[in-house]
């Protein structure tokens, strides 16, 4: 496991995503290395429809090419969207797709999540799809979760879908082996090894219990698990 101090820099992560815009623009197949990605999009969109209405304010962190926002708008109506990503080409693609889908307003920010400064009580929902696993030290995680709570309006919800670890290393090893078997069925052992290599170099996920504890510590009034399959999980936190 690569030590945190030797993980990929922001520029290195940005460069990889700059070169992969077309793949991440596919709702059904853009994240095939992520277990149950289309199902999770549906779960988040269907759950969001219980509280979001057309015209509400939506923040999409690590928006990529805009898949999460697009799927939520399909279910909930057009939104006032703030899109955030490290990659400018991803943001440009997301802006175009979200505009074509009829968003009431679009704001884009090319930024590291940790550096964002947004007004308090601004958003009805925050989407964080495959982005939190790029956080490094515990202080980064605590800071970001405090900000997520601060940016939400009362009654607003955070939706997270991400790579997670297990706290028990024996369970983690077994689940990681199972994930490797899944990747092998997609593209063979070489594909599995490439995915594992960039995860080891770029990512520093935390366990689901770790993240739920952060929700509670930062003042979220309610949380629930929407989906879990091996080393991927999706949950919500309500302010």
């Amino acid at each position: 496991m690569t030590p945190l101090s030797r993980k990929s820099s922001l520029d290195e992560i940005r460069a990889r995503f700059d070169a992969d815009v077309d793949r991440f623009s596919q709702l059904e197949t853009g994240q095939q290395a992520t277990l149950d990605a289309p199902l999770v999009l549906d779960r988040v969109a269907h759950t969001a429809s219980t509280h979001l209405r057309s015209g509400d304010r939506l923040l999409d962190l690590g928006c990529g090419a805009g898949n999460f926002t697009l799927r939520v708008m399909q279910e909930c109506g057009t939104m006032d969207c703030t899109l955030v990503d490290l990659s400018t080409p991803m943001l440009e693609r997301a802006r175009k797709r979200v505009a074509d889908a009829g968003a009431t307003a679009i704001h884009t920010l090319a930024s590291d999540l940790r550096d964002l400064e947004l007004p308090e009580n601004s958003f009805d929902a925050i989407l964080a799809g495959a982005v939190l696993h790029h956080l490094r030290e515990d202080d980064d995680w605590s800071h970001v979760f405090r900000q997520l709570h601060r940016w939400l309006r009362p009654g607003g919800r955070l939706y997270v879908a991400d790579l997670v670890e297990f706290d028990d290393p024996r369970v983690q090893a077994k689940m990681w082996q199972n994930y490797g078997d899944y990747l092998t069925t997609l593209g063979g052992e070489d594909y599995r090894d490439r995915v594992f290599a960039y995860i080891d170099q770029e990512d520093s996920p935390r366990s689901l219990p770790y993240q739920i504890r952060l929700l509670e510590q930062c003042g979220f009034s309610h949380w629930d698990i929407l989906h879990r399959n091996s080393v991927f999980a999706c949950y919500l936190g309500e302010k």
Side-chain angles (χ1 to χ4, degrees):
M1 181 70 69
T2 300
L4 293 181
S5 61
R6 293 174 55 195
K7 294 281 187 179
S8 295
S9 69
L10 290 179
D11 287 341
E12 289 168 333
I13 294 171
R14 181 187 295 111
R16 185 171 76 83
F17 285 104
D18 282 353
D20 220 2
V21 175
D22 287 340
R23 178 170 69 87
F24 281 101
S25 298
Q26 307 302 314
L27 276 171
E28 294 298 321
T29 61
Q31 291 180 293
Q32 67 173 1
T34 300
L35 291 169
D36 299 337
L39 172 62
V40 167
L41 285 174
D42 288 346
R43 290 276 168 87
V44 170
H46 292 157
T47 307
S49 71
T50 66
H51 75 106
L52 289 181
R53 298 295 178 264
S54 184
D56 280 351
R57 297 197 67 197
L58 181 69
L59 172 62
D60 190 344
L61 300 171
C63 67
N67 286 345
F68 254 100
T69 290
L70 288 168
R71 185 66 190 87
V72 168
M73 289 204 306
Q74 286 175 357
E75 202 70 31
C76 304
T78 58
M79 301 278 151
D80 179 327
C81 302
T82 298
L83 308 173
V84 180
D85 204 275
L86 279 177
S87 168
T88 298
M90 284 286 191
L91 277 173
E92 291 172 350
R93 180 66 60 86
R95 173 189 278 278
K96 182 180 186 308
R97 296 173 77 210
V98 171
D100 290 346
T104 57
I106 305 171
H107 320 274
T108 59
L109 295 167
S111 176
D112 179 355
L113 170 59
R114 294 167 296 185
D115 297 332
L116 276 179
E117 293 292 340
L118 295 167
E120 188 174 0
N121 300 327
S122 292
F123 299 100
D124 300 287
I126 298 175
L127 307 177
V131 63
L132 298 182
H133 65 251
H134 290 305
L135 297 173
R136 300 296 187 225
E137 306 291 346
D138 289 340
D139 286 348
D140 290 341
W141 284 84
S142 296
H143 167 71
V144 166
F145 271 68
R146 288 194 300 270
Q147 291 290 74
L148 295 171
H149 183 269
R150 178 175 174 271
W151 297 334
L152 280 171
R153 291 172 172 167
R157 289 183 190 160
L158 165 69
Y159 294 96
V160 175
D162 216 331
L163 176 72
V164 298
E165 289 189 333
F166 287 83
D167 288 321
D168 186 326
R170 298 166 299 178
V171 178
Q172 174 65 18
K174 175 55 68 175
M175 293 299 104
W176 201 245
Q177 179 184 342
N178 292 345
Y179 178 45
D181 292 342
Y182 164 76
L183 293 173
T184 302
T185 66
L186 292 180
E189 293 182 357
D190 287 345
Y191 176 70
R192 176 201 64 197
D193 293 344
R194 287 198 306 274
V195 172
F196 278 179
Y198 75 67
I199 289 175
D200 182 54
Q201 187 60 42
E202 291 185 4
D203 303 342
S204 43
R206 296 293 194 274
S207 71
L208 187 53
Y210 176 96
Q211 296 180 53
I212 297 303
R213 285 195 297 271
L214 278 179
L215 290 179
E216 295 173 339
Q217 291 166 7
C218 293
F220 285 84
S221 64
H222 169 74
W223 59 264
D224 216 330
I225 310 301
L226 299 180
H227 184 70
R228 177 156 197 175
N229 186 352
S230 185
V231 291
F232 291 89
C234 177
Y235 63 86
L236 67 83
E238 184 169 321
K239 182 171 179 176

